[in-house]
Amino acid sequence: MKFLHNFIEKIRPAETSPMYTLHNAIETFLFVPGHTTHSGAHVRDAIDLKRTMFTVIIALLPALVFGMFNAGYQHYRWLSPDLAFWTVDNLMYGAMRIMPMIAVTYIAGLSIEIYFAYINKHAVNEGFLVSGMLIPLIMPIDIPLWMVAISTAFAVLFGKEVFGGTGMNVLNPALTARAFAFFAYPTYMSGDKVWIGDSADLAQKVDGFSGATALGQYATTGTTSYSAWDAFLGYIPGSIGETSALAILIGAAYLIYSGVGSWKIMLSGALGALTMALIFNSVSGSMDPGPMKEYMSIPPHFHLVFGSAAFALVFMATDPVSAAHTETGKWIYGFMIGILGILIRVFNPAYPEGWMLAILLMNTLAPLVDYYVVDSNIQKRLKRAKA
Amino acid sequence: MAKVHRVRKGYDLKLIGSPSSDLVVAPQPQRVTLYPEDFKGFSPKLSVKEGDRILAGDAVFYAKADPSVVVPSPVSGTVARVVRGEKRVLQFVEIAPDAVNEYRDFGAAKPSDLDRAQILEKLKASGVWSLVQMRPYGVVAKPGDQPKAVFVNSMDTAPHAPHIDVQLAGRESSFVEGMEVVKRLSDRTVLTVREGSSLPVFESLNGVEIHAFSGPHPSGNTSLHIQQISPLNKGEVIWTLTAQDVCVLGELFSTGTCRMERVISLTGSGVREPKHLQVLPGSALSGILANQIDADGIRIISGNVLTGIHVGKEDALHFYHHQIATLPEGDQPDFLGWLLPGFGKFSLSRTFFSWLTPSKTFALDTNMHGEQRNFVMTGQYDRVFPFDIYPLQLLKAMWASDIDKMEQLGIYEVVEEDFALCEVICTSKQPLQELVREALDTVYTEMN
């Protein structure tokens, strides 16, 4: 690798050039620099932000790969009933649709990141490695690429860079991208013609085609044709990475085991969702029949496997920068996301995805939660001083 | 029976090169160097000039704020060099020692015969006072304060710290005498020991509270002991000493002279024979390390690997340090180091696959393993930070130079060494100890 290192040394551009920032990003991508400690502790843990972000990418892989198979499966199953799931055709269809989305996201996001790193004279931060993977996974498969690019650019600019870049943002950048797309291009982000690849095409070819998600069905008919088991395994339409709770749980296990993701947020989020669902269940018995009664009597475990609940709690709520920073705060933050997610989902079936809004709302409230948690420590200290 | 405090959070680095129990008495150093930077909260003024002849115990420099607080020469000899840097800031003073030390006589005395003022007077005159540190701030203590307690620490839990039984072997009577002195300084004297390694000499003490601590580093940090036993509030002061410092106090009273000999450990994968040494502070490393280091690319550290100072072979042991550690330099780029499985990489997280071999000792080097970034991860420090303090919030207050917030969040209860392990495991490679020391200095200047 000496040769490669020498080559990189040789082509290093002048420090004033924007190419220097790009060169530096590529160099540190290929080689962890030979920098040694110069202040404080002389030995350091091998972990850095690159490794942390890479760990999240690994955790996302099961959901991504499943999403590719599922994209093909959902598309082809309308053309040939009794279709097998794990086929190369399914994978190829999914890959051909999803890889360009990933590429577009990274190109749009990273070029902005590199530009800001250049004008602010710091190295490119790794935060976008994960955001760039998350954004495609929470989009419907039929969204045009240019919308992905614009949403990503909006999220990086206004969700992150205006606050000072990675580590300084208030909102989760990936959810900012989704929220932008959701409100800017609602017809491409909701309804029942976006969750299955080439829906418009299929609707013309296939009689009785329905591209509705389970939650979409609930909103219109008060019931769903999908079983909770299908939803747990993920054989249902939905955003690219969100359908398989199982694949997401595998990722969650790795995040928790490696110490990168907060199990407290994941667990308290699930508990919050179950609590709210149980409250609705208990009230729904005394309600007049109607769609609202049906919606409120959805069993709690359905809520966790349908829609983006699992993906949101595992990958979105746990973003350490926009979540609560204290450990006690994480319990409160996660629980509130669970409560709000179900609340929005049930009371506002026009937006079946309450999770995005629940997390963005709690992102803005997380500093307040931390404020009160830290304040109790401050009060304890003051009380001790007076005693 | 000592009260036992169990510390659960923390981590003991598993490094190669732990010291054997052998104790070697080092010969008279060829040179002794005193660095003013070692004395925190202290603007040094020279008491000597080049060419002066001094005895062991004579003042080399004094504190601008209180000229009665002096730093003594550990040896007799001639002031060889006074080196100043930019803006004439004093860098160091070098003394060429005599072959055999001559000691300034401050008069032997029984601590019980003197009152507190006379004891303080003797400590200040002999320069032994410079060993007494104060909390908050972790600076040289101010003799005018009335501390609510004095804490004596006999348990250094830093990697490869010298063993307490080797430190005190043969010096038991000095230690007991020294504790008599310490007892006269305040109403409360606390001795902290590692659970299960209490020495007979500790058991023989009267009028001293003994507290035992168990658990991984930083269970031996004085800040933690104070927080558990007698937490510091704003305006309160505690004085701190190490067990070896107490021996120096004891010898001052039994012999009337300032004898700074201390046991240090010589450790790490870079030295041939890791062991214990009896040396004087300020001793030139060239003598201590003779025939001990052969390879190139070895970093020499005065102090331990968590908090020590990077020094060269031509430098000296710093005044408060109890260890000379060595580490291989890690100045080689690591191809895709962040991406590959990393079976041999040290990490407290399980993001590398080295968690498969948890009990392995690592030949760690000085590589940063990444570049500095903004704070991103949260809850990470809590694993190694056993204080009732929110570390990230306190650090951010320091970053913002918000003194009110620092006070509220407990800056008076910590010093930079308490953040050393946080710094080791920090994903964002933030220079935490530097940040904490700067903040402590800022608050100290503001308050005094």
Side-chain angles (χ1 to χ4, degrees):
Chain A
M1 288 307 132
K2 193 85 189 153
F3 158 76
L4 185 59
H5 193 250
N6 290 344
F7 174 71
I8 286 174
E9 287 283 333
K10 217 170 98 188
I11 60 165
R12 186 188 307 279
E15 225 169 290
T16 48
S17 138
M19 291 309 285
Y20 178 82
T21 314
L22 179 63
H23 179 273
N24 179 267
I26 293 172
E27 182 189 9
T28 57
F29 185 89
L30 287 172
F31 294 95
V32 174
H35 301 166
T36 55
T37 53
H38 50 82
S39 94
H42 296 263
V43 292
R44 297 301 168 95
D45 195 293
I47 194 169
D48 66 352
L49 205 52
K50 283 192 176 66
R51 184 71 183 187
T52 307
M53 295 300 168
F54 179 60
T55 304
V56 185
I57 299 279
I58 294 180
L60 281 166
L61 284 182
L64 172 67
V65 173
F66 188 93
M68 287 183 180
F69 277 104
N70 194 43
Y73 174 75
Q74 295 297 337
H75 175 77
Y76 287 129
R77 109 191 141 93
W78 290 98
L79 301 172
S80 56
D82 302 323
L83 184 73
F85 187 83
W86 301 102
T87 63
V88 176
D89 279 354
N90 287 350
L91 178 67
M92 285 311 291
Y93 179 87
M96 295 299 286
R97 296 298 303 268
I98 295 164
M99 293 311 271
M101 289 173 78
I102 296 175
V104 163
T105 313
Y106 274 122
I107 291 168
L110 283 177
S111 33
I112 295 171
E113 288 262 353
I114 290 172
Y115 177 70
F116 272 88
Y118 164 66
I119 56 172
N120 293 329
K121 297 191 173 44
H122 61 66
V124 180
N125 270 295
E126 290 80 4
F128 194 76
L129 281 183
V130 167
S131 309
M133 183 60 81
L134 287 173
I135 291 172
L137 290 183
I138 52 176
M139 292 290 182
I141 184 115
D142 258 2
I143 190 168
L145 289 178
W146 65 270
M147 288 182 191
V148 177
I150 290 180
S151 311
T152 305
F154 177 85
V156 174
L157 275 173
F158 293 98
K160 207 154 84 164
E161 291 304 337
V162 292
F163 295 105
T166 301
M168 308 292 189
N169 44 306
V170 177
L171 300 177
N172 181 320
L175 282 180
T176 310
R178 194 182 199 279
F180 178 84
F182 189 85
F183 291 109
Y185 316 111
T187 50
Y188 291 89
M189 292 295 290
S190 53
D192 51 12
K193 293 285 180 286
V194 296
W195 309 105
I196 290 172
D198 305 312
S199 288
D201 196 30
L202 286 173
Q204 286 188 354
K205 278 193 212 157
V206 183
D207 276 348
F209 168 78
S210 161
T213 61
L215 293 171
Q217 291 177 349
Y218 261 115
T220 46
T221 66
T223 181
T224 179
S225 59
Y226 300 101
S227 72
W229 183 243
D230 278 349
F232 176 74
L233 295 175
Y235 306 136
I236 56 171
S239 292
I240 291 166
E242 74 175 23
T243 61
S244 172
L246 178 63
I248 292 161
L249 280 178
I250 294 170
Y254 186 60
L255 280 185
I256 292 170
Y257 189 73
S258 62
V260 169
S262 167
W263 61 270
K264 288 171 191 160
I265 294 177
M266 298 182 203
L267 178 62
S268 60
L271 289 177
L274 292 176
T275 308
M276 200 66 214
L278 283 172
I279 292 173
F280 282 144
N281 281 181
S282 64
V283 186
S284 66
S286 56
M287 284 175 66
D288 298 331
M292 185 50 90
K293 180 185 169 82
E294 297 299 332
Y295 225 108
M296 283 175 73
S297 46
I298 298 177
H301 65 280
F302 269 51
H303 276 299
L304 288 183
V305 292
F306 282 117
S308 55
F311 194 88
L313 289 177
V314 170
F315 292 110
M316 292 298 176
T318 53
D319 165 27
V321 176
S322 56
H325 290 181
T326 56
E327 297 305 295
T328 315
K330 284 175 186 170
W331 285 108
I332 301 167
Y333 167 84
F335 194 78
M336 288 302 294
I337 286 177
I339 297 265
L340 287 170
I342 299 297
L343 192 68
I344 298 172
R345 175 185 274 185
V346 170
F347 277 144
N348 202 348
Y351 297 139
E353 261 341 325
W355 296 99
M356 170 182 86
L357 300 172
I359 293 176
L360 287 174
L361 183 61
M362 284 312 295
N363 281 169
T364 59
L365 294 182
L368 187 68
V369 173
D370 281 337
Y371 175 84
Y372 282 106
V373 172
V374 173
D375 194 56
S376 73
N377 181 269
I378 293 172
Q379 294 308 325
K380 193 156 83 180
R381 192 163 282 114
L382 287 176
K383 214 165 132 191
R384 190 180 73 204
K386 279 187 196 128
Chain B
M1 200 48 222
K3 186 176 184 319
V4 179
H5 304 258
R6 291 187 202 293
V7 179
R8 289 202 170 74
K9 292 177 177 177
Y11 187 74
D12 286 321
L13 281 176
K14 300 180 193 76
L15 294 169
I16 290 174
S18 61
S20 70
S21 302
D22 299 338
L23 176 63
V24 175
V25 178
Q28 176 82 336
Q30 289 153 345
R31 218 174 55 240
V32 164
T33 313
L34 295 175
Y35 302 91
E37 62 175 291
D38 292 349
F39 306 92
K40 306 292 181 202
F42 194 103
S43 315
K45 289 277 171 192
L46 271 181
S47 314
V48 294
K49 55 184 187 303
E50 284 182 15
D52 280 2
R53 164 130 189 93
I54 50 174
L55 301 185
D58 281 352
V60 177
F61 34 80
Y62 62 90
K64 191 177 167 189
D66 180 357
S68 73
V69 175
V70 303
V71 173
S73 170
V75 291
S76 65
T78 316
V79 179
R81 257 196 326 155
V82 174
V83 176
R84 291 180 183 276
E86 260 174 56
K87 296 184 184 165
R88 294 191 43 78
V89 172
L90 188 58
Q91 302 282 300
F92 58 85
V93 176
E94 219 170 74
I95 301 155
D98 298 334
V100 178
N101 284 328
E102 262 181 76
Y103 294 91
R104 174 76 60 199
D105 187 10
F106 300 100
K110 271 184 97 69
S112 50
D113 294 342
L114 303 180
D115 61 21
R116 185 173 184 269
Q118 287 170 312
I119 286 180
L120 283 174
E121 208 42 55
K122 199 186 246 331
L123 290 172
K124 286 192 289 183
S126 62
V128 170
W129 181 258
S130 56
L131 296 173
V132 184
Q133 302 276 300
M134 76 176 246
R135 298 301 176 96
Y137 311 118
V139 298
V140 180
K142 293 189 285 186
D145 285 337
Q146 281 289 345
K148 67 168 178 169
V150 180
F151 273 66
V152 176
N153 189 332
S154 80
M155 52 172 301
D156 190 348
T157 48
H160 296 166
H163 304 159
I164 185 66
D165 44 346
V166 184
Q167 286 182 41
L168 296 187
R171 302 169 84 188
E172 289 84 355
S173 56
S174 304
F175 181 76
V176 173
E177 182 84 347
M179 287 305 281
E180 289 302 313
V181 179
V182 172
K183 270 154 59 178
R184 307 296 300 276
L185 296 176
S186 77
D187 297 334
R188 190 174 183 194
T189 308
V190 178
L191 172 67
T192 53
V193 302
R194 192 198 282 264
E195 196 206 3
S197 69
S198 186
L199 302 175
V201 59
F202 296 157
E203 309 296 330
S204 69
L205 296 168
N206 285 322
V208 176
E209 275 178 56
I210 299 184
H211 289 258
F213 283 77
S214 70
H217 187 69
S219 62
N221 279 14
T222 304
S223 310
L224 187 66
H225 302 163
I226 291 175
Q227 179 178 292
Q228 300 265 318
I229 296 164
S230 176
L232 265 178
N233 297 310
K234 189 182 176 183
E236 293 176 341
V237 170
I238 283 177
W239 288 346
T240 68
L241 287 158
T242 67
Q244 292 211 69
D245 298 337
V246 173
C247 297
V248 178
L249 265 64
E251 284 185 38
L252 171 67
F253 281 77
S254 60
T255 67
T257 56
C258 168
R259 292 171 186 269
M260 289 281 190
E261 281 84 4
R262 76 166 58 129
V263 173
I264 65 163
S265 53
L266 175 61
T267 66
S269 51
V271 293
R272 215 176 272 163
E273 298 154 337
K275 62 189 171 201
H276 289 80
L277 285 169
Q278 184 185 310
V279 297
L280 286 165
S283 292
L285 295 181
S286 52
I288 298 175
L289 293 173
N291 301 321
Q292 280 296 337
I293 296 182
D294 17 49
D296 282 339
I298 299 288
R299 174 176 296 197
I300 304 167
I301 299 157
S302 173
N304 63 59
V305 297
L306 293 177
T307 60
I309 299 174
H310 182 182
V311 293
K313 275 181 184 167
E314 66 287 351
D315 295 324
L317 175 67
H318 281 256
F319 196 78
Y320 293 109
H321 288 165
H322 293 92
Q323 186 176 163
I324 294 168
T326 54
L327 282 173
E329 289 285 4
D331 48 3
Q332 291 301 314
D334 183 7
F335 180 63
L336 295 181
W338 60 279
L339 193 62
L340 299 173
F343 291 103
K345 285 209 158 74
F346 156 73
S347 180
L348 254 72
S349 73
R350 296 202 196 85
T351 53
F352 292 93
F353 287 89
S354 46
W355 54 263
L356 293 168
T357 51
S359 57
K360 191 174 163 188
T361 51
F362 290 93
L364 292 181
D365 61 31
T366 63
N367 193 289
M368 284 291 285
H369 299 290
E371 296 174 298
Q372 185 175 334
R373 293 289 185 262
N374 291 337
F375 289 114
V376 169
M377 297 302 285
T378 59
Q380 190 181 25
Y381 302 150
D382 296 35
R383 263 183 89 177
V384 293
F385 194 76
F387 298 86
D388 185 20
I389 283 174
Y390 285 99
L392 190 63
Q393 281 69 22
L394 176 56
L395 288 163
K396 285 189 174 177
M398 292 173 176
W399 207 20
S401 306
D402 183 343
I403 293 183
D404 288 341
K405 200 98 214 162
M406 291 187 234
E407 261 184 13
Q408 293 174 345
L409 291 170
I411 190 174
Y412 297 127
E413 297 161 43
V414 290
V415 291
E416 61 269 34
E417 65 173 6
D418 303 318
F419 288 87
L421 278 172
C422 299
E423 189 173 61
V424 170
I425 65 166
C426 182
T427 298
S428 299
K429 311 290 176 190
Q430 287 277 343
L432 303 185
Q433 293 191 78
E434 202 176 278
L435 180 63
V436 175
R437 178 34 69 188
E438 276 169 19
L440 285 168
D441 286 345
T442 308
V443 180
Y444 185 66
T445 320
E446 197 78 12
M447 298 290 161
N448 288 278

